[in-house]
Amino acid sequence: MAHTRIRRFNTRETYPEQALDNDLCQAVVTHGGKTVWMRGQCPQNLDDAVNLDSHDPVEQTHKVMQNIHQLIQEAGGEMAHLVKVVVYITDVRHREAVYRTMGEYIQGVHPVSTGLVVQALARPEWLVEIDATAVIPD
């Protein structure tokens, strides 16, 4: 792993009442490298900003995580370099679906994660937005 992950955990133990299986940690220590600050990713295409035509939180989260993956790759990195995500959802009932889907992309990575339920995002059709930071080692 590219960075030191402190106090790794899996949400199976932390949130046993939810069907989640996400690898996270309490802190990430990076050493050198270049930091990739990504704007909050929404369920839209990176090339033309066309929204995903779906109101399904799972499909929207897949698109968001695909965008994050693509941006990290374009910066010369890989998902193992992801260090932090901030997840914004507009409905707490979507939490499990969003986190379960996100978990498919971060398995074995253990980023730091913060989750917020917000009243709305920039466009009313968006159910999820994820702000991500990666550090690509030298």
Side-chain angles (χ1 to χ4, degrees):
M1 185 120 346
H3 309 298
T4 304
R5 313 288 171 149
I6 298 173
R7 296 183 179 255
R8 294 178 188 209
F9 67 94
N10 185 285
T11 53
R12 281 187 315 266
E13 294 88 31
T14 308
Y15 305 105
E17 72 282 4
Q18 299 176 3
L20 298 176
D21 184 16
N22 291 2
D23 290 331
L24 301 171
C25 70
Q26 295 293 337
V28 177
V29 180
T30 63
H31 309 277
K34 62 181 174 183
T35 303
V36 182
W37 303 94
M38 289 165 266
R39 70 179 286 217
Q41 291 302 302
C42 300
Q44 63 180 194
N45 297 332
L46 288 172
D47 293 331
D48 58 14
V50 171
N51 283 335
L52 182 68
D53 187 23
S54 172
H55 295 285
D56 177 13
V58 170
E59 290 181 8
Q60 287 197 12
T61 305
H62 274 299
K63 183 60 180 165
V64 168
M65 292 305 296
Q66 289 163 2
N67 286 354
I68 290 168
H69 186 209
Q70 181 178 340
L71 290 168
I72 292 172
Q73 285 184 319
E74 288 178 12
E78 56 191 52
M79 287 300 281
H81 302 141
L82 184 66
V83 296
K84 181 172 176 108
V85 293
V86 179
V87 181
Y88 302 88
I89 58 175
T90 58
D91 188 331
V92 72
R93 294 171 295 186
H94 296 152
R95 183 178 184 275
E96 283 188 49
V98 168
Y99 275 77
R100 191 176 310 111
T101 305
M102 183 180 71
E104 296 175 25
Y105 295 83
I106 63 169
Q107 189 162 24
V109 176
H110 295 88
V112 173
S113 174
T114 299
L116 301 164
V117 179
V118 296
Q119 186 173 4
L121 295 168
R123 293 197 174 157
E125 62 270 23
W126 293 347
L127 306 174
V128 60
E129 180 172 338
I130 300 177
D131 178 9
T133 306
V135 178
I136 301 169
D138 293 326

